[in-house]
Amino acid sequence: ASAQETVKIGLILPMTGPFASTGRQIEAAAKLYMQQKGDTVAGKKIQLIVKDDTGTADVTKRLAQELIVNDKIAVMAGFGLTPLALAPAPLATQAKVPAVVMAAATATITEASPYIVRTSFTLPQATVPMAEWAAQNGIKKVATLVSDYGPGIDAEKAFTSAFTAKGGQVENLRVPLANPDFSPFLQKVADAKPDALFVFVPSGIGAQFMKQFVERGLDKSGIKLIGPGDVTDDDLLNNMGDVALGAITTQHYSAAHDSPENKAFVEAFKKANNGMRPNFMAVGGYDDMHLIYEGLKKTNGAGGQALIDAMKGMSWTSPRGPVSIDPQTRDIIQNIYVRKVERKDGELYNVEFATIPNVKDPVKAAK
Ligand code: DHB
């Protein structure tokens, strides 16, 4: 194919640093999708260009600029954390290049550019069902402990307002995102003795949290662990040990999701990646490639405004269940599942036991 017939996708991810698990999961999922569907769409060759932003927003922005100007990408994707999604947003607007967010989950991100579309989730979307479950299951007093930046603050606010509206009591604690030491916060929680501890830490950090939870003796305190599913993400869950058993979380994806689409996805993903289990980041990356491929089919390979417009309203069956792109907000509408960590065939899984269908981001739905 000649240069004009190649459609380039710039995939910017944290491949090194503390959030490398997010990059590793998403890259593997994007490559799996291309392996399964081929690298030709609408008669054009698809080229995936993967760049490591090391989890640093200035680097994400510089890489996005280079990909737009030098490589002439049709679309950019990835964006492992909220600051990494926000930094290149003005470039997407200026260059009219769609930016598909596979990971970052602060509700407002899609408002940073009309060229942003998202296949991950929002923290309020995942969290409100957690507050409802807690209120309906005898939990009256909760301490929240969240990473102190966009998604953590979203989770804290969404939980607190939904749970107090049902008569619950909440104490809010925030821990720094970088190099977090949970122990002083966990000591406070041990002293306050709430019915449950609600935790948000980004994907990749859950194991560190669980270790300190045990070290402070909280696993034997009777304080129940709850939260959005980031803390028990499938990349790390199986190595967390018995401390994770019984944790109740709400989220859009579990590797244990019982559907033919997911069984095929998990099996193929593990086979292509030395047995690595896909987590919710992987499913965001896989679905994002689907959105790009199907969008390009509609535009005959064109990017820009045509591509972002083609993506709006698209619906499909994901490994996570039925999904669609909200044409108004460019966020994903999806089921949120209530799950409990259980041991199944010797491995730890988030086992889904209830479904809240077709959940929209509640922050934007309320506007
Ligand atoms: C974000 C990052 C994560 O790893 C996660 O699990 C949720 C949100 C974020 O920075 O937006």
Side-chain angles (χ1 to χ4, degrees):
S2 70
Q4 290 91 318
E5 290 171 327
T6 300
V7 175
K8 293 180 185 171
I9 304 172
L11 184 59
I12 313 175
L13 292 168
M15 298 306 300
T16 54
F19 302 102
S21 99
T22 295
R24 181 174 70 234
Q25 286 275 344
I26 293 177
E27 183 189 27
K31 289 195 164 156
L32 175 64
Y33 189 88
M34 290 185 69
Q35 196 184 71
Q36 291 176 334
K37 309 287 168 169
D39 63 357
T40 306
V41 177
K44 304 206 165 53
K45 186 150 176 73
I46 304 293
Q47 186 190 350
L48 190 68
I49 307 174
V50 182
K51 298 281 185 188
D52 177 14
D53 65 15
T54 74
T56 310
D58 289 347
V59 180
T60 320
K61 190 167 182 186
R62 177 173 56 72
L63 291 171
Q65 177 77 6
E66 288 171 9
L67 286 162
I68 292 167
V69 174
N70 302 340
D71 296 293
K72 314 239 178 318
I73 51 168
V75 49
M76 53 183 163
F79 312 111
L81 291 136
T82 290
L84 314 180
L86 292 175
L91 301 176
T93 306
Q94 227 169 39
K96 298 185 168 39
V97 170
V100 197
V101 175
M102 297 167 156
T106 301
T108 53
I109 287 173
T110 43
E111 293 169 348
S113 167
Y115 292 90
I116 292 180
V117 57
R118 171 157 53 188
T119 54
S120 55
F121 71 113
T122 79
L123 262 306
Q125 183 183 41
T127 296
V128 171
M130 186 72 255
E132 285 165 0
W133 186 89
Q136 284 159 13
N137 285 274
I139 294 174
K140 301 211 160 22
K141 209 175 129 193
V142 173
T144 64
L145 178 54
V146 302
S147 295
D148 190 4
Y149 78 120
I153 294 164
D154 263 9
E156 177 193 284
K157 290 197 165 143
F159 183 84
T160 302
S161 69
F163 189 62
T164 54
K166 305 253 174 196
Q169 255 182 293
V170 183
E171 181 186 7
N172 297 140
L173 302 168
R174 295 181 186 177
V175 57
L177 172 63
N179 307 310
D181 177 10
F182 299 103
S183 52
F185 302 99
L186 291 173
Q187 190 56 53
K188 272 193 190 169
V189 173
D191 294 342
K193 296 190 177 51
D195 301 318
L197 172 58
F198 170 100
V199 178
F200 168 80
V201 290
S203 182
I205 308 299
Q208 258 167 274
F209 168 80
M210 289 292 188
K211 190 165 167 280
Q212 296 192 7
F213 190 78
V214 175
E215 282 166 4
R216 287 275 143 186
L218 277 135
D219 56 327
K220 303 202 169 56
S221 66
I223 298 169
K224 198 161 185 50
L225 201 55
I226 63 172
D230 311 70
V231 69
T232 57
D233 99 74
D234 272 299
D235 196 50
L236 305 176
L237 176 60
N238 201 29
N239 292 319
M240 286 179 186
D242 287 355
V243 54
L245 284 171
I248 303 280
T249 57
T250 45
Q251 212 199 30
H252 55 286
Y253 183 69
S254 164
H257 179 66
D258 189 10
S259 74
E261 292 81 10
N262 189 49
K263 284 203 169 77
F265 172 66
V266 172
E267 193 177 314
F269 189 93
K270 282 184 162 177
K271 197 164 165 222
N273 296 286
N274 289 316
M276 176 165 74
R277 190 195 286 183
N279 72 358
F280 65 100
M281 294 299 182
V283 87
Y286 191 78
D287 283 339
D288 189 347
M289 289 302 289
H290 179 81
L291 187 61
I292 293 171
Y293 268 48
E294 293 305 310
L296 288 170
K297 281 183 196 169
K298 282 207 210 168
T299 66
N300 231 338
Q305 188 69 49
L307 181 56
I308 190 84
D309 287 343
M311 290 170 168
K312 292 176 192 171
M314 205 174 269
S315 63
W316 68 99
T317 303
S318 155
R320 70 184 98 174
V323 297
S324 66
I325 300 298
D326 186 331
Q328 268 81 48
T329 64
R330 290 161 276 108
D331 257 323
I332 194 160
I333 303 173
Q334 58 191 338
N335 295 346
I336 298 296
Y337 306 93
V338 191
R339 314 96 52 84
K340 181 179 189 178
V341 176
E342 291 175 13
R343 200 175 285 287
K344 255 182 64 180
D345 306 324
E347 293 193 31
L348 294 178
Y349 280 100
N350 295 296
V351 177
E352 296 168 349
F353 63 88
T355 303
I356 300 99
N358 303 322
V359 180
K360 286 190 180 196
D361 172 55
V363 175
K364 274 164 246 113
K367 280 184 184 171

